[in-house]
Amino acid sequence: MSGAALGIEIVVVFFLALFLLHRYADFRKQQRMVLFGTLLAWYLCFLIVFILPLDISTTIYKQCKIDHEEHGSVSLVTPLISNQTAGNSTMATPTKSVPKVCYKPWSYIPDGIMPVFWRVVYWTSQCLTWLLLPFMQSYARSGGFSITGKIKTALIENAIYYGTYLLIFGSLLIYVAVHPQWHLSWYELQTIGITAANTWGLFLLVLLLGYGLVEIPRSYWNASRQGHLLIKTYFKAAKLMTEKADAEENLEDVMECPVEYQEKMGRNMDDYEDFDDKQNTYPSEKNLVKLHKQVIYAVQRHNRTHVQWQILLQQAMHLEDVAKNETSSAHQFVHSFPSTEPTSWLSPYLYTPTVEWYWECLLRQWFYRLLAVLLSLFSVGVVWSECTFFSTRPVLSLFAVFIQLAERDYNYLYIEMACFITIFFLCTCVYSTVFRIRVFNYYYLASHHQTDAYSLQFSGMLFCRLTPPLCLNFLGLIHMDSAISHQLKEQTAYTSIMGSMRVLSFIANGFYIYYPMLILLLCIATYFSLGTRCLNLLGFQQFVGDNEMTSDLIDEGKELIRREKRKRQRTEDGENRRREWKERYGNTREDTARNRNRNEAAEMTETNYSDTVPIPNTSPNRQAKYSRTGRGTERDSIELLEDAEPLDFNAETLSDDPLEADSTRHVPGRYLSMSSSRSRIFDDV
C-alpha cells in the first residue's frame, strides 16, 4: 500500500475540485484559461488539506523508529533484592522489558516523495496567487476585442502590482548587501519570503475563522426553525428584487448609445450644408473597449440576478409548503407547484410523499439541531485550543491531547481521521466565509453556474493564500511544529519546506502564538452580531430581528412572493385550459387542416390554368377572385378562434399593480428596498 493512498487521494481531490468548479462556473461560456487557472488553484489547496494527514501519520511512524534506535529494543531492569535470612544482598536476575513494536501505517509514504510533492504544490500555488491569477483577472475583465489588446490592458493594470513586489524585494536585497554581518543565505531569504506570505495569510485567516466558527453552527440551528428561515427568505426576496431591477436598468442603459455621441452626431447632421466626413466624431477604440467591458459586466449581472430570483422563489414556495403541510393529518407532502429541478428516476420510488413529509416536517429540524450542537462543541474546542496551544507542559490543546493519546497506541487510522476532520472543519469555516463575502458586486460567488471570471480567480487567490497558514496553524494546535512548541521531535515534510521560523524569532515567538487568541474576541462579536448591527446603523440593510426597516422589508418580500405565486398559478391555469381546448377541438382543427390543403390544391390548379389559357377580365373572374380571398379570410378566422385562449375573469387577473406587468423597467422608489444602492456592498457578511 506504499504510495497507493497518495495516488488515490490525488485523483479523488481532482474530481472534487472539478465538481465544485462546475457548480459555480459555466464551462460553456467562460474562457478556458480562466477555468484552468481556477481549477488548478482549488485543486492544489484541496490537495494540501487531504494529503497533510498522511504526512502526519508517516512522521509519527518515523519518530517511533527514532525513539527505538536511541533507547534500544530491550531495556534491563535490575532491582536490588534483600536476603534477610542470609544477611547479605544478592543481585536478582535481570528482567527484560520489550517496548511496543512500531507498526508501519497503511498509508505510509516512502522517504523522498513528500518533500518533493510539497515543494511542487506549494510553489505552484504561490506563483498562481501572486503572479498568474492577478494577471488573468485583469485579462478576463478587459473589454479588448483581441488577445493582444487584453494582454496589453492586463500588463498596464498590473504594473503597479508587480512593481511593488519588485521594490520590496530589491530593497531587501540591498539591505542584506549593505549589512554583511547578517550573512543570509538563499535558504534564509526563501524562509523570509515564505514567512511573510504566511503572516499575511494568518492575519486574514483569523478574521474569517472567527466569523465562521460561530456562523456555521448558528446557520444550521436557524435552518431548523422553519418560521425564522421563511422570514429571512422574505427579507432576501425584497433585497434581491431591488438588485434585479437595478441590473435590468443598468443593462438597458449600457445597451443604449452614449448621450455624448448622440449629441455630437446631432450637431454634425444639423450642419448638413458643411457636412464633411472628417468632422464626424466617432467613438474611439478606447471608448469602445470600455463600453464592451461594461456590457459584459451588465449582462453577467443581469443573468445572475434572474437565476437567483428563480431559485429564491423556489425556496420560498417550498418553505411555505412545509408550513402548510406541518398540520396535515394525512402525512403526505403536497406541493403547491411542481418542482422545476430535474429528479432522478429513483426519486419517485425512494423519496415518496410520505417519506418527504416525515423528513421535511419532522426529522429535518431535529437533525439540524443535533448537527448545530455538535458543530458548536467543535467550535468551542477550536477556540480553546487556539488560546492554549503554546502550552506544552501541561498540554492544554484538546487536539494535541487526542493525537498524543492515539500516538501511544499507534492507531494511525484514528490519527488520520481526527486530523482530516479537524482540518476539514477549519477549512469549512474559512472557505464558507470566503464564499459569502460580497464586496461592491465585484466579488461574488454564486452557485448554479452564475459566478463571473473575476470572482472565480479571486477565490482561487484567497484559497492559495489562506490554506498554507491554516495548515501550519493546525500543526501548531497538535504540537507538531517545533518553531512553536519548541520540542525536539521529527518534523513533517510540510513543515520542512516552510523553513525554520527561528530566522524571524519575533514572528515565531510572538505573532504566531498570540495573534490567534484574537479569535475569541471575534467569536464574541459575531455571536452578538455586532458587525451586522453596526452596518445597519450606517444605512446598509441587514437582517436584524428587532428593526423596523427589517420588518418592512419582510412584508415587502412576502407580497412579492405572493404576486409571483399568482402569476405562476395563472400561467399554469392557462396551460391547462389550452390543453383542454386542444383536446376538445382537436378533431375540428384536423378537419380544418385537411380542408386547407384541399383548397390550396384547388387554387394551385386554377393558377396553373390561368397561366396557360388567357381569361378576359370579366366580372365572373373578379367574383371568383374575391371568393378565394373570402375563403382565406374565413379560414384565418377559424384558426384564430381555435388558437385563442379563453380569458380569465377572476379578481386576481384584473389587478392593476405595476409589478403584474412584464416590464423590464421598474419605477424607482416603489419599494423600501430600492431606496439605497449601498445595501449591496456588504450583503451576507
Side-chain angles (χ1 to χ4, degrees), residues 12 81 89 95 139 141 148 162 202 207 211 237 241 276 316 351 422 448 473 512 530 543 662:
V12 172
I81 300 177
S89 60
T95 60
Y139 181 89
R141 291 183 59 192
T148 305
Y162 294 127
L202 183 63
L207 300 178
Y211 175 83
M241 173 56 75
D276 188 4
Y351 200 59
T422 306
H448 296 81
N473 179 257
Y512 277 11
L530 297 182
F543 183 77
D662 293 331

Side-chain angles (χ1 to χ4, degrees), residues 106-120:
W106 69 278
S107 58
Y108 174 76
I109 300 174
D111 296 338
I113 294 180
M114 290 307 301
V116 176
F117 176 82
W118 286 130
R119 286 191 182 93
V120 172

Side-chain angles (χ1 to χ4, degrees), residues 26 46 49 62 73 121 123 178 222 232 242 260 281 290 293 326 353 375 429 505-506 509 549 571 618 637 639 657:
D26 191 346
F46 294 163
V49 174
K62 292 179 180 179
S73 60
V121 171
W123 288 112
V178 172
N222 292 333
K232 192 170 184 179
T242 305
E260 55 183 5
T281 304
K290 182 179 179 180
K293 181 178 179 180
E326 283 181 346
L375 293 177
C429 294
S505 59
F506 67 94
N509 299 327
M549 180 63 71
T571 302
T618 58
S637 301
E639 295 175 2
D657 193 275

Side-chain angles (χ1 to χ4, degrees), residues 56-69 71 98-106 402-416:
I56 293 173
S57 62
T58 303
T59 304
I60 292 176
Y61 171 70
K62 292 179 180 179
Q63 182 64 40
C64 176
K65 291 174 61 178
I66 294 175
D67 294 340
H68 277 248
E69 291 175 358
H71 301 288
V98 181
K100 294 183 180 180
V101 180
C102 295
Y103 296 101
K104 182 181 293 186
W106 69 278
F402 296 151
I403 296 301
Q404 289 179 6
L405 289 176
E407 185 178 352
R408 295 175 183 175
D409 298 331
Y410 303 106
N411 192 345
Y412 296 111
L413 182 61
Y414 171 82
I415 293 173
E416 293 173 2

Side-chain angles (χ1 to χ4, degrees), residues 152-252:
K152 180 180 178 181
T153 303
L155 290 176
I156 294 175
E157 290 183 358
N158 287 273
I160 300 177
Y161 186 80
Y162 294 127
T164 304
Y165 290 157
L166 293 176
L167 179 62
I168 295 175
F169 185 73
S171 302
L172 180 61
L173 290 180
I174 294 174
Y175 184 80
V176 173
V178 172
H179 296 77
Q181 68 272 13
W182 278 50
H183 299 290
L184 292 180
S185 62
W186 170 250
Y187 175 78
E188 293 173 338
L189 289 176
Q190 176 181 328
T191 302
I192 292 175
I194 294 175
T195 304
N198 290 335
T199 303
W200 187 95
L202 183 63
F203 178 80
L204 183 60
L205 173 67
V206 171
L207 300 178
L208 299 178
L209 187 60
Y211 175 83
L213 287 174
V214 176
E215 192 60 29
I216 288 182
R218 182 163 58 186
S219 63
Y220 280 102
W221 182 265
N222 292 333
S224 65
R225 303 161 56 195
Q226 297 291 344
H228 174 85
L229 196 59
L230 182 58
I231 290 175
K232 192 170 184 179
T233 304
Y234 289 149
F235 178 83
K236 291 181 179 180
K239 296 185 66 176
L240 187 57
M241 173 56 75
T242 305
E243 185 181 357
K244 183 172 177 289
D246 190 16
E248 292 174 351
E249 292 180 0
N250 186 27
L251 181 60
E252 290 181 357

Side-chain angles (χ1 to χ4, degrees), residues 294-563:
Q294 294 175 354
V295 170
I296 293 175
Y297 172 73
V299 171
Q300 174 68 30
R301 186 184 174 198
H302 175 268
N303 295 336
R304 186 188 69 215
T305 54
H306 178 74
V307 173
Q308 287 178 328
W309 176 251
Q310 298 299 325
I311 296 172
L312 190 62
L313 280 179
Q314 195 71 21
Q315 294 176 355
M317 294 178 184
H318 176 73
L319 291 174
E320 291 180 349
D321 291 341
V322 172
K324 293 178 181 178
N325 283 273
E326 283 181 346
T327 58
S328 174
S329 59
H331 295 178
Q332 298 281 333
F333 197 91
V334 180
H335 293 272
S336 300
F337 301 96
S339 178
T340 58
E341 297 181 358
T343 57
S344 62
W345 61 275
L346 289 175
S347 297
Y349 302 99
L350 299 179
Y351 200 59
T352 61
T354 303
V355 175
E356 185 176 4
W357 186 90
Y358 277 101
W359 168 250
E360 295 290 347
C361 303
L362 187 61
L363 299 178
R364 184 171 190 157
Q365 55 184 348
W366 291 106
F367 173 76
Y368 279 172
R369 288 175 183 175
L370 179 60
L371 184 60
V373 172
L374 294 177
L375 293 177
S376 299
L377 295 176
F378 218 117
S379 297
V380 172
V382 171
V383 174
W384 171 263
S385 301
E386 290 286 357
C387 296
T388 60
F389 73 94
F390 59 88
S391 176
T392 57
R393 292 184 181 180
V395 179
L396 299 179
S397 175
L398 298 179
F399 300 105
V401 172
F402 296 151
I403 296 301
Q404 289 179 6
L405 289 176
E407 185 178 352
R408 295 175 183 175
D409 298 331
Y410 303 106
N411 192 345
Y412 296 111
L413 182 61
Y414 171 82
I415 293 173
E416 293 173 2
M417 292 301 300
C419 293
F420 174 75
I421 292 175
T422 306
I423 298 175
F424 182 78
F425 177 73
L426 295 176
C427 291
T428 303
C429 294
V430 175
Y431 293 166
S432 63
T433 308
V434 172
F435 278 82
R436 293 182 182 184
I437 291 177
R438 183 178 181 184
V439 182
F440 296 101
N441 281 327
Y442 286 103
Y443 170 72
Y444 183 38
L445 287 173
S447 57
H448 296 81
H449 321 290
Q450 298 303 313
T451 306
D452 58 352
Y454 182 85
S455 299
L456 286 174
Q457 293 172 336
F458 190 73
S459 66
M461 292 170 55
L462 285 181
F463 285 1
C464 292
R465 297 180 186 182
L466 292 174
T467 305
L470 185 145
C471 293
L472 277 180
N473 179 257
F474 170 74
L475 292 175
L477 293 180
I478 62 176
H479 293 174
M480 294 197 69
D481 187 358
S482 61
I484 297 176
S485 62
H486 303 287
Q487 294 178 345
L488 297 177
K489 297 176 63 176
E490 181 72 14
Q491 296 296 299
T492 61
Y494 183 81
T495 309
S496 64
I497 68 150
M498 294 296 175
S500 177
M501 296 300 174
R502 296 182 179 87
V503 178
L504 301 174
S505 59
F506 67 94
I507 293 181
N509 299 327
F511 184 79
Y512 277 11
I513 293 178
Y514 298 106
Y515 180 71
M517 296 181 184
L518 187 62
I519 289 180
L520 179 60
L521 299 178
L522 294 173
C523 289
I524 295 175
T526 305
Y527 179 78
F528 291 103
S529 303
L530 297 182
T532 301
R533 296 181 184 275
C534 291
L535 291 175
N536 191 68
L537 290 177
L538 294 176
F540 304 106
Q541 298 166 356
Q542 301 293 317
F543 183 77
V544 182
D546 54 352
N547 184 268
E548 183 179 357
M549 180 63 71
T550 302
S551 301
D552 294 338
L553 290 175
I554 291 173
D555 295 336
E556 177 185 330
K558 185 184 298 184
E559 182 63 25
L560 289 172
I561 299 299
R562 187 180 296 114
R563 293 176 186 275

Side-chain angles (χ1 to χ4, degrees), residues 569-585 642-650 653:
Q569 185 65 46
R570 287 198 301 271
T571 302
E572 186 176 347
D573 293 342
E575 293 178 355
N576 293 334
R577 288 194 300 271
R578 187 179 295 109
R579 190 181 303 109
E580 294 176 358
W581 188 273
K582 290 181 179 179
E583 292 176 356
R584 182 179 302 176
Y585 300 101
E642 291 178 351
D643 294 335
E645 176 184 345
L647 297 178
D648 186 3
F649 293 97
N650 296 331
T653 310

